[in-house]
């Protein structure tokens, strides 16, 4: 294979047998699905895991990179984990930043695919094109950071990346994720819980950039593409280093903006405006808590914000005071206590669990208590009890055992499933679909359950990028969302940071891909690849039993009116779905055979 960017080398690790098999990549699959998210779901379909239990040994856990990973292309520091989600039952992919992905590529691997289940805790050690399973019995039961420290002490911190699960994954918390040494998370969908079910504790990668960076197929075009990408980022209102909103305030630049729009889900989405937004906003955090601004491989934006609480019971120093996390554990739960939010984010990072799902677990329990459905008391804004309940959840004690199953299942157990603000059992993020119509359609049709990152229509509806779109308008949102979904499916397969799309476009993605891989693509080509990826995911879900009725939102969003600057608005999901299915060419949420044929989606082995 003569394609640039790839190592043409992946490890298939059979945890049941304790063996590692090395395989080359299939060039046709790379042309059709690129890598990372796209190639990962192709492996899921080929191995037919749509009808296996997510926690069974037959499930696959794929750790994937893309062709730009480890190169000098800016914002190419993302790693992708793919599996069948124990939270949703859908195919899922979750991405992390930092340096792990680049080092995996520098170590000579494109991907690591895990099958089976080890009879004892293990970790995988990767170096110089080889992978070896090692005993992790002494690490089992430890949190993420002690695990990482122990492995860095063993192998040396220099040129080492470690990604690990915590007790959340070990105890099969359905929303447990992976963490790495930079507090970066592959947080959504429970990929860390799947690792726990396989007794896989960690992955250690030893590699240096020197002499190991993937070589582009077209060096002259590569130099031009690198410069073009940096120029676009430097000119972006959100991405410009040290000037743009993401660079200055991190993702939390959105807290006040979304709240002022009347689209911040508050108190479990009972309202859409929070009095606590300013207290946990990016502006406040920068003024009162910020101590560091670390970044990922090949990224000049540096959106990560490290914060510190220097005294008191919430004393902590932690990276990633993100918009979603701050909202989920703050205004969503009726709190503006930024110190407590930082402390809870730290606990989530240590135990390896998704902050969004955890926040929803609390808000569901708060409303359930408010309505007299449960006797365990959890009041709005009671951050100390929230912190106590984190321990109950992690160790599955009492009500914690119910909440460990996720807010969707917990709400049903409490007697009212409509209390959970979920789609396909995954919780919504920090944008209320009554105040931003397109994002509600995005939640409902996301192939991994409620998610803003599948098709970030907020870019147009709130930020006006690439051009302004009326956030409360209904007509045209099906086509708008499809465009964003297909574009992001391609960039996730490269694997580029989603924030690149604030400044870069399909033409630039095509230029970067062409320069590195050596296959000439244009914007239309990459949108077609993105459409293929989105449709093969939907095909997997269809095989798993998901159809149109599952493209849904909670009744609250359809019937209860928003407030603030979205006053009186509800989600018009039914009308938008009609248009969306038309532009997708789907029949009641199902990909028909003619669409599979049109997109050259092979279902052999499915």
């Amino acid at each position: 294979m003569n394609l640039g960017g790839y190592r043409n080398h992946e490890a298939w690790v059979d945890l049941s047998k304790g063996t590692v098999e090395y395989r080359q990549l299939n060039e046709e699959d790379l042309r059709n699905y690129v890598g990372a998210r796209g190639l990962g779901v192709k492996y899921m379909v080929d191995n037919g895991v749509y009808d296996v239990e997510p926690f069974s040994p037959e499930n696959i856990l794929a750790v994937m990179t893309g062709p730009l990973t480890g190169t000098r292309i800016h914002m190419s520091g993302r790693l992708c984990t793919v599996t069948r989600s124990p939270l949703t039952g859908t195919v899922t992919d979750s991405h992390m930043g930092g340096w792990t992905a680049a080092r995996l590529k520098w170590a000579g691997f494109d991907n690591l695919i895990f099958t089976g289940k080890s009879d004892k805790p293990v970790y995988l050690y990767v170096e110089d094109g080889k992978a070896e399973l090692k005993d992790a019995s002494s690490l089992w039961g430890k949190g993420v950071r002690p695990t990482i420290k122990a492995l860095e002490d063993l192998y040396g911190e220099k040129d080492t990346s470690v990604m690990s699960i915590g007790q959340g994954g070990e105890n099969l918390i359905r929303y447990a994720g992976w963490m790495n040494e930079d507090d970066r998370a592959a947080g959504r969908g429970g990929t860390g819980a799947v690792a726990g079910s396989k007794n896989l504790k960690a992955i250690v990668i030893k590699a240096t950039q020197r002499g190991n960076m993937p070589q582009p197929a077209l060096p002259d075009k590569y130099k031009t593409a690198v410069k073009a990408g940096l120029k676009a980022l430097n000119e972006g209102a959100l991405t410009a280093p040290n000037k743009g909103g993401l660079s200055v305030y991190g993702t939390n630049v959105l807290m006040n903006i979304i709240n002022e729009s009347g689209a911040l889900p508050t108190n479990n989405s009972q309202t859409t405006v929070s009095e606590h937004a300013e207290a946990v906003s990016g502006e406040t955090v920068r003024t009162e808590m910020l101590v560091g601004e670390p970044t990922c491989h090949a990224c000049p934006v540096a959106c990560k914000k490290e914060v510190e609480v220097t005294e008191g019971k919430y004393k902590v120093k932690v990276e990633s005071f993100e918009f979603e996390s701050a909202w989920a554990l703050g205004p969503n739960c009726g709190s503006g206590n930024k110190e407590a939010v930082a402390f809870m984010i730290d606990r989530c990072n240590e135990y390896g669990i998704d902050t969004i799902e955890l926040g929803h677990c609390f808000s569901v329990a708060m409303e359930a208590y408010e309505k007299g459905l449960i006797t365990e008391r959890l009041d709005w804004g009671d951050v100390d009890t929230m912190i106590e309940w984190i321990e109950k959840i992690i160790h599955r004690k009492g009500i914690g055992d119910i909440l460990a199953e996720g807010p969707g299942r917990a709400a049903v157990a409490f007697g009212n499933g409509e209390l959970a603000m979920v789609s396909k059992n995954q919780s919504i993020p920090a944008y209320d679909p009554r105040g931003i119509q397109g994002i509600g359609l995005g939640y409902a049709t996301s192939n991994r359950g409620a998610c803003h990152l599948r098709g970030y229509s907020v870019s147009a509806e709130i930020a006006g990028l690439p051009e302004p779109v009326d956030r409360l308008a209904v007509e045209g949102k099906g086509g708008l969302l499809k465009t964003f979904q297909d574009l992001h499916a391609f960039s996730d397969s490269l694997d580029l940071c989603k924030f690149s799309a604030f400044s870069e476009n399909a033409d630039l993605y095509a230029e970067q891909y062409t320069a590195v891989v050596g296959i000439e693509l244009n914007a239309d080509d990459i949108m077609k690849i993105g459409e293929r990826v989105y449709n093969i995911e939907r095909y997997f879900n269809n095989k798993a039993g998901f159809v149109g009725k599952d493209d849904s939102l909670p009744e609250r969003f359809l019937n209860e009116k928003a407030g603030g600057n979205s006053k009186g608005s509800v989600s018009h999901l039914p009308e938008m779905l009609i248009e969306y299915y038309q532009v997708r060419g789907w029949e009641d949420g199902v990909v028909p055979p003619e669409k599979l044929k049109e997109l050259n989606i092979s279902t052999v082995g499915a």
Side-chain angles (χ1 to χ4, degrees):
M1 189 179 77
N2 295 317
L3 302 182
Y6 301 100
R7 291 304 192 195
N8 196 23
H9 188 60
E10 63 186 14
W12 284 71
V13 183
D14 187 327
L15 293 165
S16 297
K17 297 179 180 178
T19 59
V20 178
E21 176 188 354
Y22 302 112
R23 299 183 187 178
Q24 294 184 332
L25 307 183
N26 180 290
E27 185 171 333
E28 182 180 2
D29 283 346
L30 297 182
R31 288 176 178 269
N32 286 330
Y33 299 100
V34 181
R37 174 180 166 186
L39 188 60
V41 71
K42 179 61 163 57
Y43 288 168
M44 300 291 288
V45 169
D46 285 350
N47 287 274
V49 296
Y50 44 76
D51 61 355
V52 305
E53 288 298 314
F55 286 147
S56 72
E58 288 74 28
N59 196 6
I60 287 175
L61 175 64
V63 177
M64 312 288 291
T65 71
L68 305 189
T69 306
T71 71
R72 296 192 188 281
I73 297 292
H74 293 92
M75 305 190 86
S76 62
R78 304 290 288 176
L79 184 87
C80 178
T81 56
V82 186
T83 192
R84 187 179 185 198
S85 168
L87 184 69
T88 66
T90 66
V91 67
T92 195
D93 61 286
S94 188
H95 303 245
M96 66 164 58
W99 297 80
T100 310
R103 284 206 175 93
L104 181 58
K105 188 69 76 71
W106 300 339
F109 283 93
D110 294 294
N111 313 308
L112 309 170
I113 298 91
F114 298 90
T115 64
K117 177 181 179 178
S118 175
D119 59 4
K120 65 179 181 181
V122 293
Y123 67 91
L124 188 73
Y125 181 76
V126 177
E127 185 178 14
D128 195 23
K130 297 180 181 179
E132 181 182 358
L133 287 170
K134 295 179 178 287
D135 186 11
S137 298
S138 64
L139 302 174
W140 203 255
K142 293 183 181 295
V144 167
R145 296 190 187 97
T147 297
I148 290 173
K149 185 178 187 307
L151 291 169
E152 287 181 339
D153 287 347
L154 181 61
Y155 294 107
E157 185 175 351
K158 182 177 173 57
D159 299 326
T160 301
S161 279
V162 182
M163 54 186 287
S164 172
I165 64 169
Q167 296 93 327
E170 293 177 4
N171 295 329
L172 306 188
I173 311 302
R174 288 186 184 268
Y175 44 93
W178 286 89
M179 301 295 303
N180 68 19
E181 74 276 1
D182 299 304
D183 267 6
R184 308 295 199 272
R188 306 223 72 188
T191 63
V194 172
S197 75
K198 294 180 176 298
N199 280 328
L200 177 64
K201 179 65 174 176
I203 299 170
V204 182
I205 305 163
K206 192 76 171 177
T208 177
Q209 174 183 305
R210 294 183 297 276
N212 293 314
M213 183 173 285
Q215 295 304 303
L218 305 173
D220 289 341
K221 287 189 175 183
Y222 174 67
K223 293 178 183 177
T224 301
V226 171
K227 291 179 181 178
L230 182 59
K231 182 175 185 293
L233 295 177
N234 282 333
E235 293 175 352
L238 288 172
T239 57
N242 303 313
K243 295 186 295 183
L246 278 171
S247 190
V248 175
Y249 299 112
T251 59
N252 210 7
V253 66
L254 287 164
M255 186 70 74
N256 286 328
I257 295 170
I258 300 302
N259 192 50
E260 290 165 6
S261 299
L264 191 72
T266 299
N267 287 24
N268 201 37
S269 299
Q270 293 184 90
T271 62
T272 61
V273 180
S274 173
E275 63 181 326
H276 300 299
E278 175 65 33
V280 293
S281 68
E283 292 86 344
T284 299
V285 167
R286 184 168 191 86
T287 301
E288 301 181 11
M289 301 177 72
L290 185 69
V291 293
E293 300 180 90
T295 193
C296 303
H297 164 71
C299 181
V301 178
C303 74
K304 299 300 176 188
K305 303 305 168 189
E306 186 176 25
V307 302
E308 184 173 16
V309 180
T310 58
E311 58 186 8
K313 58 184 175 181
Y314 307 126
K315 184 178 180 180
V316 73
K317 186 176 183 180
V318 64
E319 275 193 34
S320 303
F321 197 101
E322 304 281 0
F323 171 47
E324 307 292 343
S325 303
W327 159 79
L329 297 165
N332 175 56
C333 292
S335 171
N337 190 324
K338 62 183 183 299
E339 292 82 10
V341 165
F343 187 87
M344 286 187 279
I345 291 172
D346 176 77
R347 292 296 83 202
C348 289
N349 291 353
E350 175 66 8
Y351 291 134
I353 57 173
D354 181 12
T355 54
I356 298 176
E357 296 297 336
L358 179 68
H360 276 279
C361 283
F362 291 145
S363 64
V364 165
M366 287 168 174
E367 188 172 353
Y369 176 74
E370 182 180 58
K371 287 179 163 51
L373 298 176
I374 60 174
T375 57
E376 292 88 345
R377 182 167 188 166
L378 185 60
D379 295 316
W380 298 108
D382 185 355
V383 293
D384 291 327
T385 300
M386 290 164 67
I387 291 169
E388 290 176 11
W389 281 25
I390 292 175
E391 303 299 321
K392 292 183 179 182
I393 291 169
I394 292 302
H395 300 292
R396 286 185 170 269
K397 292 183 178 179
I399 196 170
D401 191 38
I402 297 174
L403 297 177
E405 294 294 295
R409 291 174 176 84
V412 171
F414 295 157
N416 185 352
E418 284 296 323
L419 294 185
M421 300 300 107
V422 300
S423 183
K424 301 180 183 71
N425 262 341
Q426 183 160 281
S427 298
I428 70 160
Y431 311 89
D432 196 288
R434 292 166 290 191
I436 309 172
Q437 291 293 326
I439 203 67
L441 179 63
Y443 294 162
T445 61
S446 164
N447 288 327
R448 71 169 186 171
C451 176
H452 59 304
L453 295 175
R454 298 295 86 171
Y456 195 64
S457 64
V458 172
S459 180
E461 293 177 292
I462 294 292
L465 299 171
E467 57 186 33
V469 173
D470 183 351
R471 62 186 173 87
L472 296 178
V474 175
E475 186 177 356
K477 291 301 168 71
L480 176 73
L481 181 67
K482 177 184 180 296
T483 297
F484 275 106
Q485 287 176 337
D486 292 349
L487 180 68
H488 294 330
F490 181 82
S491 67
D492 281 345
S493 301
L494 283 177
D495 185 355
L496 283 179
C497 176
K498 195 69 89 278
F499 297 153
S500 65
F502 286 127
S503 301
E504 303 182 17
N505 56 24
D507 291 309
L508 187 48
Y509 287 162
E511 181 182 352
Q512 292 169 340
Y513 173 91
T514 297
V516 173
V517 179
I519 299 174
E520 189 78 33
L521 294 184
N522 58 32
D524 290 340
D525 296 327
I526 74 164
M527 295 304 291
K528 182 61 70 175
I529 292 172
E531 184 180 13
R532 182 180 299 120
V533 171
Y534 212 84
N535 275 266
I536 195 174
E537 290 175 338
R538 177 58 61 133
Y539 172 76
F540 179 102
N541 288 351
N542 292 157
K543 295 286 285 186
F546 291 87
V547 293
K549 66 178 177 60
D550 300 298
D551 291 338
S552 62
L553 290 174
E555 288 296 319
R556 174 163 289 166
F557 298 133
L558 305 178
N559 298 319
E560 298 178 20
K561 296 179 180 180
N565 286 322
S566 297
K567 186 175 182 179
S569 180
V570 297
S571 172
H572 295 276
L573 177 64
E575 299 97 305
M576 292 187 291
L577 268 178
I578 293 172
E579 178 193 333
Y580 179 80
Y581 287 160
Q582 287 176 342
V583 297
R584 276 281 180 214
W586 294 350
E587 299 171 358
D588 192 28
V590 176
V591 186
E594 56 267 27
K595 176 58 71 170
L596 295 172
K597 183 177 180 180
E598 173 195 328
L599 293 172
N600 192 30
I601 294 175
S602 171
T603 58
V604 175

